[in-house]
Amino acid sequence: MRPRTAPLLLLLLAVTGCGTVTAGGTPPPPPDRSALEARARHAQIRVEHVYVTEAEGYAPALQSAGVVGDDGFQIVYVREDGGGNLTLTAERRPFRAEECVAGPAKGDSCVAEGDGWYRRTGEQHAYLRNENGLRVEVAAPLTVPRDLLRQAAAKAHRADDTELDAVLPKSTGGGPPVERGDLPPVGDGAPDNAVGASG
């Protein structure tokens, strides 16, 4: 009987090889930066505001990735078994220490922790920190363990080109940028409190 060691070894090498290597044995080309920036502009997202993270048992809901506030970024990570979601937000409104000590309501709390803060409000809790001029926040329902939330917050980082390619909307849209449905065409969106003819 012929020995099968060599073919078995080749099979194991093929199965356990790096998933980023193509059948031809060469790694895929890196994402084109100009194309990434075009996709971000179309979605009215600043690439430097795109943050991502990771947490065991969670996966990014790509349909949730998008602009928040003026030019911030938000993405939701969903638990595979249907548990509480994680929401990662990065936007240009740094967290101020005064916000943490401004007399929380009953049951709420806010404490400095590490380079940022841990805050609990209502049925939510979150870890926040200021970085690169942004407030980086990972929030979740109280059903999500605090340790898991802390780890996800610690792993939150500015996306590299490969991560941008994964989370940015795929279309560059040959036409104008995506219309923001939450903003009025004129003014700042404040309610109109003008008094009518009837007083």
Side-chain angles (χ1 to χ4, degrees), residues 152-166:
K155 293 179 180 179
H157 61 277
R158 181 176 279 174
D160 62 25
D161 284 2
T162 300
E163 292 164 331
L164 285 170
D165 187 40

Side-chain angles (χ1 to χ4, degrees), residues 51-53 55 58-61 64-68 73-79 83-91 93 124-128 135-141 144 148-149 152-153 156:
Y51 270 65
V52 294
T53 190
Y58 284 81
S64 72
V67 69
V68 63
F73 179 78
Q74 179 173 283
I75 185 168
V76 175
Y77 288 77
V78 297
R79 191 171 178 83
N85 297 337
L86 303 173
T87 302
L88 169 58
T89 306
E91 55 182 320
R93 55 183 190 101
Q124 295 273 322
H125 58 161
Y127 275 94
L128 310 96
R135 174 194 298 218
V136 180
E137 177 175 343
V138 180
V144 174
L148 188 152
L149 184 64

Side-chain angles (χ1 to χ4, degrees), residues 35-186:
L36 292 174
E37 291 174 350
R39 287 162 56 186
R41 281 194 304 272
H42 180 68
Q44 298 185 354
I45 296 169
R46 296 174 67 99
V47 291
E48 62 268 28
H49 293 178
V50 177
Y51 270 65
V52 294
T53 190
E54 58 183 271
E56 185 176 356
Y58 284 81
L62 297 182
Q63 71 274 16
S64 72
V67 69
V68 63
D70 291 333
D71 56 7
F73 179 78
Q74 179 173 283
I75 185 168
V76 175
Y77 288 77
V78 297
R79 191 171 178 83
E80 295 167 359
D81 62 7
N85 297 337
L86 303 173
T87 302
L88 169 58
T89 306
E91 55 182 320
R92 282 194 294 185
R93 55 183 190 101
F95 189 76
R96 297 175 292 110
E98 304 85 73
E99 297 180 57
C100 197
V101 296
K106 183 179 178 181
D108 293 352
S109 62
C110 184
V111 294
E113 186 171 320
D115 294 331
W117 298 266
Y118 169 75
R119 184 169 65 171
R120 171 177 169 165
T121 55
E123 299 300 318
Q124 295 273 322
H125 58 161
Y127 275 94
L128 310 96
R129 71 176 187 266
N130 294 325
E131 182 176 288
N132 299 317
L134 305 172
R135 174 194 298 218
V136 180
E137 177 175 343
V138 180
L142 292 176
T143 53
V144 174
R146 181 171 172 176
D147 283 346
L148 188 152
L149 184 64
R150 181 191 297 113
Q151 292 168 17
K155 293 179 180 179
H157 61 277
R158 181 176 279 174
D160 62 25
D161 284 2
T162 300
E163 292 164 331
L164 285 170
D165 187 40
V167 301
L168 285 175
K170 297 302 180 185
S171 173
T172 56
V178 173
E179 287 292 330
R180 289 283 300 277
D182 59 336
L183 296 177
V186 295

